[in-house]
């Protein structure tokens, strides 16, 4: 059963990270909101049957089953509230709100209106996260003690065209709002609820924050050390997970981002291309290649589809969304006082 979806925003997020996954997962993109001439052209080229509109109100008037908010971070709250008021199930790209207060407003509005809402923590369906969950479940490295998880890049010059790299946190900029939510959400997915122990959030290049290190303590006893940075000349492994009987190391980022940026798409809920990241288990000098799970973001939208059709729960819980938002707020507070 195809569901009708409208996308608010058709930049990188809307065009590359949502639209291809939606069309591969029993959704029909029937309308797109953008006021940018270049993006309007892209929208028409990609989805010639879709109606291009200029306001969130017009988008929500198109008889939709789902609205996807893929606009700039500062627009998430007002656009989400319009969609919820219209009674339409809503997916908000991360971060749901730029702080805990905004996030609570969206979630409370959805609860009051009895409208399903969730956020796009798609990295929970990365190859590395799925592989780690199986390693934990099957006890391949014993009891997990610590995880190092990172999105590290080397981009020493600011991109003057990027609002994420130049806008203040109040306007939704910075890596603490861009990449840290993925790191935090996957840590919570694997090891349960957490609180922030320490944080360093800095601007090295003179724009928005571009170097962040967060240390979390999970209720399960695991410690997560999370790094999001644009100024690392020698990026570390994507994951290094320390257990009592060995360590799991996954060096490379899940391939799906590169495939989507290159214009590739899944077909009927599955990738034809390889979407697994090489994994190795180390036990001192001994090492063994470990078969990794393929990543697939379609699983997120399959669960959203099921939630709308069968009235099941959305894929990301309210508690997890709030836990992530609170950790980000706490990191900001620590550094504003430091």
């Amino acid at each position: 059963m195809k569901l009708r979806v409208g996308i608010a925003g058709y930049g990188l997020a809307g065009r590359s990270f949502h639209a291809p996954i939606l069309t591969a997962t029993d959704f029909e993109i029937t309308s797109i909101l953008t006021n940018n001439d270049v993006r309007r052209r892209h929208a028409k080229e990609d989805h010639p049957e879709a109606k291009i509109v200029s306001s969130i109100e017009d988008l929500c008037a198109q008889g939709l089953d789902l609205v996807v908010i893929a606009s700039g971070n500062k627009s998430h709250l007002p656009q989400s509230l319009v969609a919820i008021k219209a009674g339409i199930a809503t997916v908000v790209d991360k971060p749901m709100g730029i702080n805990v207060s905004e996030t609570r407003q969206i979630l409370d509005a959805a609860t009051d209106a009895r409208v399903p809402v969730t956020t796009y923590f798609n990295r929970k369906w990365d190859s590395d996260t799925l592989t780690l969950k199986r390693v934990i479940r099957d006890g391949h490295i014993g009891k997990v003690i610590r995880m190092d998880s990172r999105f590290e890049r080397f981009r020493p010059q600011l991109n003057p065209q990027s609002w994420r790299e130049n806008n203040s946190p109040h306007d939704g900029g910075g890596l603490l709002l861009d990449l840290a939510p993925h790191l935090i959400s996957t840590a919570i997915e694997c090891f349960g609820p957490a609180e922030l122990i320490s944080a360093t959030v800095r601007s090295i290049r003179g724009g928005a924050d571009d170097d962040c290190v967060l240390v979390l303590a999970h209720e399960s006893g695991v410690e997560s050390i999370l790094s999001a940075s644009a100024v690392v000349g020698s990026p570390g492994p994507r994951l290094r997970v320390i257990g009592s009987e060995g360590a799991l190391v996954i060096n490379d980022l899940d391939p799906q981002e590169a495939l989507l940026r290159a214009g590739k798409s899944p077909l009927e809920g599955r990738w034809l291309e390889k979407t697994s990241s090489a994994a190795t288990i180390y036990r001192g000098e001994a090492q063994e290649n470990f078969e990794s799970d393929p990543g697939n973001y379609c699983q997120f939208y399959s669960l959203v589809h099921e939630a709308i059709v069968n009235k099941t729960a959305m894929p990301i819980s309210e508690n997890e969304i709030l836990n992530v938002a609170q950790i980000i707020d706490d990191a900001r507070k620590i550094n504003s006082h430091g």
Side-chain angles (χ1 to χ4, degrees):
M1 174 183 176
K2 290 274 187 182
L3 297 181
R4 293 167 57 88
V5 58
I7 302 176
Y10 205 67
L12 177 63
R15 188 185 192 194
S16 296
F17 285 94
H18 289 277
I21 306 300
L22 286 160
T23 55
T25 323
D26 282 334
F27 287 94
E28 178 186 2
I29 298 171
T30 60
S31 50
I32 296 169
L33 163 59
T34 180
N35 290 295
N36 179 287
D37 289 340
V38 173
R39 292 171 183 173
R40 289 177 71 90
R41 187 179 75 248
H42 289 161
K44 268 303 179 187
E45 290 171 353
D46 298 344
H47 307 282
E49 302 301 319
K51 183 173 182 180
I52 312 303
V53 301
S54 57
S55 73
I56 187 65
E57 289 79 11
D58 287 345
L59 188 76
C60 293
Q62 302 303 314
L64 303 174
D65 300 297
L66 176 69
V67 168
V68 173
I69 307 296
S71 50
N73 292 345
K74 199 170 183 181
S75 298
H76 288 185
L77 173 63
Q79 290 184 342
S80 297
L81 294 180
V82 172
I84 291 167
K85 185 176 180 181
I88 307 170
T90 303
V91 168
V92 190
D93 202 273
K94 54 76 203 165
M96 176 173 278
I98 61 174
N99 52 42
V100 170
S101 175
E102 286 196 1
T103 303
R104 286 188 183 278
Q105 287 183 66
I106 294 170
L107 293 171
D108 288 349
T111 298
D112 292 344
R114 297 185 179 180
V115 171
V117 66
T118 194
T119 195
Y120 195 49
F121 289 154
N122 59 307
R123 295 291 185 177
K124 293 170 67 168
W125 289 272
D126 270 356
S127 173
D128 45 71
T129 305
L130 297 174
T131 301
L132 173 57
K133 288 172 69 176
R134 180 160 56 89
V135 166
I136 296 167
R137 184 182 67 242
D138 295 344
H140 289 286
I141 59 173
K143 180 181 179 181
V144 175
I145 301 164
R146 182 171 68 252
M147 176 178 73
D148 300 329
S149 176
R150 54 181 59 79
F151 288 129
E152 294 176 340
R153 302 163 173 166
F154 186 54
R155 298 176 180 172
Q157 303 301 320
L158 282 171
N159 177 0
Q161 305 302 317
S162 171
W163 61 265
R164 286 185 176 86
E165 295 188 23
N166 293 279
N167 285 9
S168 69
H170 176 76
D171 292 323
L175 289 186
L176 189 61
L177 289 174
D178 183 29
L179 294 180
H182 285 314
L183 294 169
I184 300 166
S185 68
T186 53
I188 291 171
E189 172 77 4
C190 293
F191 305 117
E195 64 177 6
L196 185 72
I197 299 302
S198 66
T200 302
V201 182
R202 299 184 290 181
S203 171
I204 304 300
R205 299 175 300 176
D209 54 80
D210 52 20
D211 186 67
C212 311
V213 179
L214 312 180
V215 180
L216 310 185
H218 296 269
E219 292 178 4
S220 62
V222 176
E223 179 183 68
S224 290
I225 304 173
L226 313 176
S227 169
S229 181
V231 294
V232 177
S234 178
R238 169 68 190 88
L239 282 180
R240 187 183 68 145
V241 185
I242 309 301
S244 59
E245 299 174 15
L248 171 71
V249 176
I250 298 177
N251 286 306
D252 297 323
L253 187 67
D254 176 282
Q256 289 177 92
E257 177 177 345
L259 290 169
L260 291 166
R261 284 177 177 269
K264 303 286 187 180
S265 301
L267 181 66
E268 297 182 350
R270 294 181 179 275
W271 284 98
L272 301 180
E273 295 82 0
K274 178 184 177 182
T275 58
S276 56
S277 303
T280 305
I281 290 181
Y282 293 85
R283 295 182 175 89
E285 295 182 359
Q287 65 183 71
E288 62 181 276
N289 295 331
F290 187 82
E291 184 177 357
S292 56
D293 294 36
N296 190 356
Y297 299 152
C298 292
Q299 293 178 33
F300 172 87
Y301 272 120
S302 291
L303 291 170
V304 171
H305 189 281
E306 183 179 350
I308 295 171
V309 173
N310 297 323
K311 312 299 181 184
T312 56
M314 281 289 211
I316 314 296
S317 72
E318 178 175 319
N319 285 342
E320 180 179 330
I321 293 169
L322 286 171
N323 195 177
V324 173
Q326 186 63 62
I327 287 169
I328 290 171
D329 264 22
D330 289 346
R332 193 79 70 193
K333 290 174 185 174
I334 288 173
N335 285 270
S336 67
H337 290 98

